[in-house]
Amino acid sequence: MNALHAGKPAILGGPRAVTMDGSEANRWPLLTAEDEAAVLNVIRHGDLSLHPVTRELEDDYRMRCGRRHALAHCNGTAAMLAAFFALNLEPGDEILVPSATHWASVLPMLWTGAVPVFCESEPERMGLDAVDVERRVTPRTRAMVVVHLWGMPARMAELRAVAARHKLKVLEDASHAHGATWHDTPCGALGDVSVFSLQSSKLAPAGEGGILLTDDDALYERAICLGDMVRIAELETPALRFAGTSFGVKTRIAPLSAAIAHVQLRHLDERNAVRNANIEYLSVKLERLGLHTFLSPVDVQRVYFEFLVRYDEKDLGLPIGTLLKALAAEGCDVSWPRYPLLHQQPFFTEGHSARIARTGTPPPEYRPDALPRTEAFSACLLKLPSFPRASRELLDQYAVAFEKILSHAYALGKA
Ligand SMILES: Cc1ncc(COP(=O)(O)O)c(C=O)c1O
């Protein structure tokens, strides 16, 4: 379809491009009789706290990712806390983190006394920028948190090289990247310790749940000691002495959630394939219009927790706010991405983070203008639906909406 055929934008009085109802096309999670049977199975078993399905889920993740250990958690945030705790951090230890991520990639570390040091993300894959990360290494730096944001594997070769040079641990937050691979290695196998969230919107949802993976016996043991009473009691090491207390929190998954996660994981690859095919189909059309859609680079197979595109108003001539209004008028569900940059949040800029971490040293100054490159590219991002079950017709309608609007950029800019 070319601009001539695309017609007048709806915001200028033309017909809406998107006439199909997107609710079925975007329904997620996909729950079927198989999930219902798995939940019923747990209910009929009768033990709602401990059920074999938890270990089955852990085994599936362990095998999928080729890891030695897997430990299921009540959510991804708890799994992140366990991962930080596993690293045996001292108060004041610094961890290099992205600002462009969900807060749970970062904030749980504060309960161990560690200090987040925010780094720039790079605009092509949206993950940590290895050059900027290395610049921020100090004698107190112990680890980095690598996030595969929106399902795009980060630049692991460069980041691992920095980690190796400075003897840093890599904590991989793979919460957006179930089923993605980097150089044929699954996400979830790329960190000293790796975490998945299984929250309801994720690609392999449990409702609420999280998975921690590692090959390191000592890290696994510490993760257990944080808050899994039953597993501590099973240890055959001196850590068994903590069976009467844990380290003060409780982290295990509910088997009802594990049962759903177990079924969902079985369908992960086939459902990722549909979502990927739909988004790639639309991406090719949007790329032709000048948007950057973050298609998989050659060395990775990405997945799409969410579908973000980069729109550069300098190149395309229409302010991004006007584009959003015009897309809404066309019937498109397009919005700003939903994570605010963490380093700009009052929790950090007003000093609350330091009150939790209590390092005894002056808190770092978190300045809202500290990451200009991350800020610049984040301001150009738009979130589209993830189209887990969309028809080609609906995807074509979205493409027409963008095409109509961008081919009338001049008129719309004046409107
Ligand atoms: C990147 C990332 N890490 C961690 C989490 C925390 O997971 P949960 O919501 O399961 O606690 C999320 C949740 O959205 C996330 O997006």
Side-chain angles (χ1 to χ4, degrees), residues 74-78 80 101-105 147-150 173-176 195-202 207-210 305 338-339:
C74 52
N75 53 47
T77 307
M80 286 299 293
T101 183
H102 184 272
W103 59 262
S105 306
V147 185
H148 309 301
L149 200 65
W150 313 121
D173 183 350
S175 294
H176 294 182
V195 164
F196 287 101
S197 162
L198 311 181
Q199 176 269 338
S200 196
S201 64
K202 300 299 187 308
E208 291 292 331
F305 165 52
R338 61 198 171 93
Y339 301 159

Side-chain angles (χ1 to χ4, degrees), residues 46-59:
D47 190 336
L48 298 184
S49 280
L50 300 170
H51 183 280
V53 74
T54 298
R55 288 199 195 259
E56 288 164 22
L57 175 68
E58 289 169 344
D59 283 348

Side-chain angles (χ1 to χ4, degrees), residues 281-302:
Y281 176 83
L282 179 54
S283 290
V284 170
K285 292 174 184 275
L286 297 183
E287 289 276 339
R288 281 194 210 118
L289 296 173
L291 287 104
H292 180 71
T293 61
F294 302 101
L295 286 161
S296 281
V298 284
D299 60 332
V300 307
Q301 178 56 60
R302 70 160 298 176

Side-chain angles (χ1 to χ4, degrees), residues 11 291 309 311 316 318-330 334 382 401-402 405-406 412:
I11 202 166
L291 287 104
V309 301
Y311 170 82
L316 293 168
L318 187 65
I320 194 164
T322 314
L323 173 69
L324 275 170
K325 273 193 214 132
L327 286 167
E330 297 293 347
V334 179
L382 295 175
F402 274 89
I405 294 164
L406 292 176
L412 280 166

